[in-house]
Amino acid sequence: MMPSSPTLLAGINLEDVLKVLRPLSWGAADILRAYARGEQPPHGFSKALSVDNGGEGPVSAADLAVNQWLLDGLKQSFPSAAWTLLSEETAKEKLTEGQPLAADWLWILDPLDGTKDFLQGTGEYAVHLALVHQQRPVLGVVLLPEAEELWIGVVGEGTWCENRSGERAPVRFSERTVTHELILVASRSHRDQRLEQLITALELGDSKAVGSVGCKVATILRGETDLYISLSGKSAPKDWDMAAPEAVLLAAGGAFTHADGRELTYNTGDVRQAGCLIASHGKAHATLCKKGAQAMEVIDPGFQV
C-alpha cells in the first residue's frame, strides 16, 4: 500500500479514485475481449453486427461500448466531482478547434487504442485513462486486456502493475544506458522514411514492433525495451493517445518529451501531439533528445520538434 492517499481535488482522494478505476478497467477488458472474439459482451452491451447486417463492425461497437462504460462509471461514482470528461469518442461534440476546455481537471480517455491490432488479433491494444490537471497528467491508467495487466501511475507516487487479484508487480526498467545498446519499440505502421532516417541517426541497438502506444510504453516499464519515438507526418497522435502512457512512464521515473526537451501539454485547444516525441526509461533521455533534434535539422529542416 502507498503510505498516503493524496487528495486529487476537493473532497476526492486518490484511493477513492483507484477503487473506482479498478473494476471499471477490468470491466472494459471483459467488454473488449468479448468483441475481439465475436462473443456476447457483458454489462448489457449488444453483440456486434457486421457492416453487411447494418452494424458498424466490432471496432466501432467495442469503442462505443467501452466509452459508455467508462464515462458512465466515472459519472455515477463521482456525480459532483469538479472535473470534466473527454474521450476520443466525445471529442467532436465537446471540442472547438483552438479553444481549450474550461477545465482545471480533465479526464482524457481512449476506450480502444490500437484498432488495427484489435482487428488483426495481435492482442496489442489498450485502454487509456488519464487525469490531467492544468494541462499536465497527474494520474494514468493503461489497461492491456489480453496481457491482463493494469498499469497505474500516480505522478509523485510511483507506477505499478496489477492483475485481476490486485497483486502488484513493480516497474523493471532495463539497466541499458549506452545509446547503441538501447532497444527501440516501434510501430508496425506509421513508419515513414523520415522516421527510418532518424532511427538510423540515433545509432540504437535492437528494435521491437508493437501496436498500441500503451502497449509500447508497457514494454519500457517491463524492461523489454528502452525508448519509443513518435514522429508526426501528415497526421499526428492525439491527446488521448499520449496522456495515459506519459503519466505511467513519468510516474515511474521515465521521461516523455519533445526532442527539444519541452513537456507535452494537454487541453491546449489543439488535440494533436505533433512533433518529434521521445519516451524513454530516462537514463539516456537527454542524449537521445540532443541527437534526435540534431538529426531532424538535417532530415527535415524547419520541422518543429
Side-chain angles (χ1 to χ4, degrees):
M1 295 293 292
M2 286 182 294
S4 63
S5 185
T7 299
L8 294 175
L9 65 165
I12 300 174
N13 65 43
L14 173 62
E15 200 53 45
D16 290 337
V17 175
L18 294 181
K19 285 178 182 176
V20 169
L21 289 179
R22 289 182 179 104
L24 280 181
S25 296
W26 293 119
D30 291 338
I31 294 167
L32 286 172
R33 285 165 63 95
Y35 279 116
R37 289 157 175 74
E39 299 169 355
Q40 176 64 49
H43 309 296
F45 292 102
S46 301
K47 192 172 181 179
L49 295 174
S50 70
V51 176
D52 291 341
N53 292 328
E56 297 177 304
V59 171
S60 293
D63 238 330
L64 294 171
V66 174
N67 184 70
Q68 182 182 335
W69 169 254
L70 295 174
L71 292 181
D72 287 353
L74 284 169
K75 289 173 185 175
Q76 291 166 11
S77 299
F78 302 101
S80 58
W83 56 39
T84 299
L85 306 177
L86 174 70
S87 77
E88 181 179 11
E89 301 303 317
T90 63
K92 286 184 179 179
E93 64 189 56
K94 283 206 167 197
L95 296 177
T96 301
E97 188 173 352
Q99 297 181 21
L101 289 170
D104 258 4
W105 292 87
L106 177 67
W107 280 103
I108 301 177
L109 283 61
D110 188 345
L112 176 54
D113 186 66
T115 53
K116 286 184 180 178
D117 286 87
F118 180 84
L119 274 175
Q120 292 168 0
T122 69
E124 295 168 1
Y125 60 89
V127 179
H128 297 169
L129 302 92
L131 182 59
V132 170
H133 182 228
Q134 295 178 347
Q135 300 186 330
R136 293 289 296 145
V138 296
L139 168 65
V141 170
V142 173
L143 168 72
L144 310 185
E146 301 295 344
E148 293 271 295
E149 292 180 353
L150 181 61
W151 289 94
I152 299 173
V154 184
V155 177
E157 297 284 334
T159 295
W160 64 94
C161 182
E162 294 187 6
N163 62 18
R164 284 185 186 256
S165 300
E167 298 168 327
R168 294 188 181 186
V171 171
R172 299 186 184 278
F173 286 143
S174 86
E175 296 300 321
R176 294 178 289 269
T177 58
V178 182
T179 307
H180 68 264
E181 295 178 347
L182 299 181
I183 299 175
L184 172 76
V185 58
S187 299
R188 292 191 178 86
S189 53
H190 309 299
R191 295 183 67 159
D192 62 12
Q193 185 179 6
R194 296 176 313 139
L195 179 57
E196 298 292 352
Q197 289 176 296
L198 175 58
I199 292 170
T200 300
L202 289 174
E203 299 178 302
L204 303 170
D206 203 356
S207 67
K208 180 177 182 177
V210 172
S212 158
V213 179
C215 291
K216 290 182 179 73
V217 167
T219 68
I220 299 174
L221 296 169
R222 295 190 209 105
E224 299 164 4
T225 68
D226 305 300
L227 73 148
Y228 159 60
I229 299 171
S230 170
L231 184 61
S232 55
K234 293 180 179 179
S235 62
K238 308 296 192 298
D239 281 3
W240 40 84
D241 297 310
M242 299 306 197
E246 184 197 355
V248 295
L249 189 59
L250 188 63
F256 202 149
T257 69
H258 288 263
D260 61 5
R262 285 181 299 124
E263 292 182 333
L264 279 64
T265 52
Y266 302 91
N267 190 31
T268 63
D270 182 355
V271 297
R272 297 173 301 165
Q273 291 291 341
C276 178
L277 314 181
I278 301 177
S280 80
H281 59 22
K283 299 175 184 180
H285 197 78
T287 300
L288 289 168
C289 285
K290 183 178 179 180
K291 291 182 71 172
Q294 289 173 343
M296 287 309 300
E297 288 178 1
V298 177
I299 295 167
D300 192 351
F303 179 74
Q304 178 62 52
V305 298

